[in-house]
Amino acid sequence: MVDEDLELERDIGEATIVYDEPDETVRKSVPNEHIAYFQDHWIIKTGEDDEGRDIVRRVPAQRVHYVERTVDEFAEEVETLVDQVQSFASDLRTKIPVGGSGGGESEQPEPHRIDVDRGEPGESENRLE
């Protein structure tokens, strides 16, 4: 319970998104935790329904002019993004086998070689006829 109280007191910053609606350009400001980018869409929490479920609006990336966020420290924000990308890439590697049939590192086996004594020309016992 104490952690939740501390979370509420911490300033999480704000995000402003500017995007096109069919008949107007919308400028909307929300807390940073109420906006995310996923599958080529910006997802914005716009409220809650009567049962407490979140209501979100998905805005296709091509309709967004820009998203501006306030953050405590830019380097910290970039590090968070790098961590998210690395986590996503790691998840992909575990879900999609890369580099051949199967999952692990598979090397092509060396071909089995059979040495055939050819003998010198003129020796009939070593030649196929």
Side-chain angles (χ1 to χ4, degrees):
M1 201 58 129
V2 173
D3 289 338
E4 290 176 18
D5 293 338
L6 290 174
E7 184 68 27
L8 291 175
E9 291 178 14
R10 190 176 67 136
D11 180 20
I12 57 172
E14 187 174 84
T16 300
I17 183 170
V18 177
Y19 62 95
D20 290 333
E21 282 286 327
D23 55 347
E24 66 179 325
T25 298
V26 175
R27 179 184 178 94
K28 185 164 186 66
S29 294
V30 296
N32 266 331
E33 68 179 7
H34 292 179
I35 188 169
Y37 186 78
F38 182 69
Q39 295 179 338
D40 294 332
H41 286 75
W42 282 95
I43 302 168
I44 309 155
K45 179 180 175 182
T46 58
E48 293 182 2
D49 67 8
D50 294 337
E51 297 175 16
R53 296 177 296 190
D54 292 340
I55 299 171
V56 297
R57 173 168 291 170
R58 290 176 49 101
V59 180
Q62 62 269 24
R63 289 190 11 216
V64 175
H65 294 281
Y66 65 87
V67 175
E68 196 169 76
R69 294 180 185 237
T70 58
V71 293
D72 289 336
E73 188 177 326
F74 183 72
E76 187 177 301
E77 180 75 5
V78 170
E79 184 178 316
T80 299
L81 292 172
V82 169
D83 289 345
Q84 289 173 352
V85 169
Q86 288 173 343
S87 175
F88 179 73
S90 177
D91 287 347
L92 279 180
R93 278 193 295 272
T94 60
K95 293 177 183 175
I96 301 172
V98 178
S101 60
E105 292 188 25
S106 60
E107 292 183 20
Q108 292 286 343
E110 285 293 315
H112 184 67
R113 300 190 189 286
I114 301 173
D115 291 329
V116 177
D117 289 334
R118 291 202 176 220
E120 295 297 315
E123 293 181 11
S124 60
E125 71 262 13
N126 289 333
R127 282 204 244 152
L128 295 175
E129 296 188 33

